[in-house]
Amino acid sequence: MKQLKETAQKIKSMEIRGAGRIARAAAAELRDYADRLKTDDLNEFNEKMQFAAELLVSTRPTAVSLPNAVRAVMRYKGESANEARVNILRLADEFITGSENAVLRIGEIGARRVRDGYTIMTHCNSAAAISIMATAYAQGKEIRVIATESRPRWQGHLTIQHLDKIGIKTFLIVDSAVRYFMKEVDLVIMGADAVTVNGSVINKIGSSQLALAAHEARRNVIIAAETYKFSPKTLLGELVEIEERDSSEVISREKLDEFSNISVRNPAFDVTPREYIDLICTEVGAIPPEMAYIIIKDYLGWGIEEMNSNMRI
Ligand code: RI2
């Protein structure tokens, strides 16, 4: 239980962050938790697994990768606690390996859209988006990247570290400079925390203004997103909840206490409408956003019937 709570806390505090990484961390925690559960009673085992699943899902409300990863593991079956445990270990490992391979495949598919000499703008820190840039660069394409700081958590600093290691020439800019630099950009590549059934993309706050500036300047926008970032629940009309984080990420508590009339709003994500997105690059292909439903139904396996009868998390 202690380790389960620690993992949940690390995801909540963003010590473990990035939609893909938190999904893999949750799958790994469910696997290890099942392994640590010593009970032979199947009912008790199931109840404890359900508790763990719900705790992990509650940590970050927006990233759909998290419930999708948990659901992939919680599909386990077993006539006994031990059978269930063995099944969970297999499902979790399958999810983790599949997720790592998906990022590589997205790199290969997405790199086909990157030409030699391109300047690419990116936002926040997305392993899937970086995979495209890294693959294009490894293919010998001379690219440059413009990376935003991504306030308030500065994930842009992680991006520049990564790109620097690979050897890609990168400019770090403040978030408010995206429109100023758009004229120098050939292609925008960003990640996703969630993709809805109508093809809208939820990603780090600021993504939609970047996409809007790209749309205005007629630059293409590619979203790099594994299929498990598509939200089955949006098929039932549910909206993806946008996480609002603590004010202390934006201004210190002491400073804020100096004011009487000021409070902080700190949404972690925003929604980019599909009109501003040219392509969503998944591991099963580069699709127009309008095809999001196909991914949810055919690749995640959640048609409307399964949704109505099965979805607990
Ligand atoms: P990968 C991140 O969320 C960013 O919004 C990023 O674009 C997205 O996850 C996808 O990242 P946060 O955890 O899965 O920083 O592509 O809030 O790495």
Side-chain angles (χ1 to χ4, degrees), residues 14-257:
M14 292 177 66
E15 189 179 328
I16 302 175
R17 58 146 296 280
R21 278 185 71 223
I22 62 178
R24 287 190 290 277
E29 183 52 47
L30 286 176
R31 177 195 62 201
D32 299 347
Y33 183 70
D35 202 33
R36 290 193 305 271
L37 276 181
K38 290 302 169 218
T39 179
D40 287 331
D41 181 315
L42 183 60
N43 284 337
E44 188 189 346
F45 181 87
N46 288 340
E47 269 169 33
K48 292 205 160 140
M49 286 307 301
Q50 187 61 27
F51 172 81
E54 283 168 19
L55 178 71
L56 289 165
V57 167
S58 70
T59 52
R60 295 209 63 196
T62 304
V64 167
S65 53
L66 190 54
N68 277 347
V70 167
R71 238 174 260 136
V73 178
M74 294 298 285
R75 277 175 171 176
Y76 71 87
K77 295 204 168 48
E79 299 289 313
S80 66
N82 201 42
E83 242 180 74
R85 193 175 289 118
V86 170
N87 195 211
I88 288 174
L89 303 198
R90 186 176 59 77
L91 290 170
D93 285 340
E94 266 173 26
F95 179 84
I96 293 166
T97 312
S99 155
E100 287 162 352
N101 289 339
V103 174
L104 296 175
R105 184 74 187 129
I106 286 170
E108 290 163 8
I109 295 174
R112 297 194 179 114
R113 304 297 291 246
V114 178
R115 297 218 179 116
D116 190 27
Y118 262 16
T119 297
I120 295 165
M121 187 179 273
T122 192
H123 185 51
C124 197
N125 177 249
S126 157
I130 290 179
S131 178
I132 296 180
M133 299 174 234
T135 309
Y137 186 71
Q139 290 168 346
K141 294 170 187 166
E142 270 307 318
I143 57 170
R144 313 186 303 164
V145 174
I146 300 178
T148 58
E149 287 177 319
S150 312
R151 283 269 293 142
R153 297 290 299 235
W154 312 98
Q155 288 97 326
H157 289 189
L158 298 172
T159 296
I160 61 168
Q161 257 175 43
H162 199 141
L163 295 174
D164 183 59
K165 242 189 225 147
I166 302 171
I168 298 177
K169 293 260 172 297
T170 302
F171 302 96
L172 179 67
I173 62 167
V174 297
D175 298 344
S176 43
V178 293
R179 188 165 178 266
Y180 178 85
F181 283 110
M182 193 52 76
K183 55 187 174 301
E184 297 182 19
V185 170
D186 299 293
L187 181 64
V188 171
I189 307 179
M190 296 186 282
D193 291 81
V195 182
T196 71
V197 69
N198 73 2
S200 299
V201 167
I202 293 99
N203 193 48
K204 186 55 52 197
I205 189 76
S207 299
S208 68
Q209 67 192 11
L210 204 160
L212 175 63
H215 183 74
E216 177 198 40
R218 294 189 167 75
R219 300 301 195 266
N220 283 341
V221 174
I222 293 183
I223 298 296
E226 301 90 313
T227 49
Y228 57 79
K229 291 177 181 164
F230 286 64
S231 167
K233 283 192 172 178
T234 55
L235 192 53
L236 293 182
E238 266 192 39
L239 297 173
V240 175
E241 182 186 338
I242 302 290
E243 175 185 5
E244 283 214 28
R245 296 185 61 85
D246 199 77
S247 63
S248 58
E249 290 187 345
V250 180
I251 186 170
S252 71
R253 242 189 251 303
E254 303 80 68
K255 186 84 196 146
L256 189 59
D257 285 346

